[in-house]
Amino acid sequence: SYMLRYCLVRLVIIPVTALLISTLLGLDAVQRGTILLLSAMPAPSTSAILAGKYGGNLRYASKLLFVSNILSIVTVPALMLIL
């Protein structure tokens, strides 16, 4: 489903890509860790707020927010382990 693909991209592909780029740029461990941690964060709560304000699908945005936050409980610590 679209929701799981979004979560895969948001919680795994983007952080791993950010880690690879920061490693290629020769950044130190603290910088790489910061970049990895920030890029691995789940969907922001403002996405649901903005969806409601501008006539988007508030219910779907809320579900996406919930699922990405729950999955981040597993993905963020797992990504930090690879650092």
Side-chain angles (χ1 to χ4, degrees):
S1 79
Y2 177 76
M3 191 174 304
L4 291 178
R5 283 184 287 169
Y6 169 81
C7 289
L8 176 68
V9 170
R10 177 79 181 151
L11 300 174
V12 178
I13 295 174
I14 290 173
V16 169
T17 303
L19 180 61
L20 291 174
I21 291 171
S22 63
T23 302
L24 289 173
L25 291 174
L27 301 179
D28 65 43
V30 173
Q31 293 169 323
R32 287 192 317 268
T34 303
I35 290 169
L36 179 65
L37 185 61
L38 290 175
S39 65
M41 292 295 105
S45 57
T46 54
S47 59
I49 294 168
L50 292 173
K53 181 176 181 175
Y54 294 109
N57 189 339
L58 178 59
R59 181 176 293 253
Y60 186 76
S62 298
K63 286 180 184 179
L64 190 61
L65 177 64
F66 176 77
V67 169
S68 69
N69 276 278
I70 294 299
L71 290 176
S72 72
I73 293 170
V74 174
T75 59
V76 170
L79 287 166
M80 295 310 292
L81 285 175
I82 67 169
L83 188 61

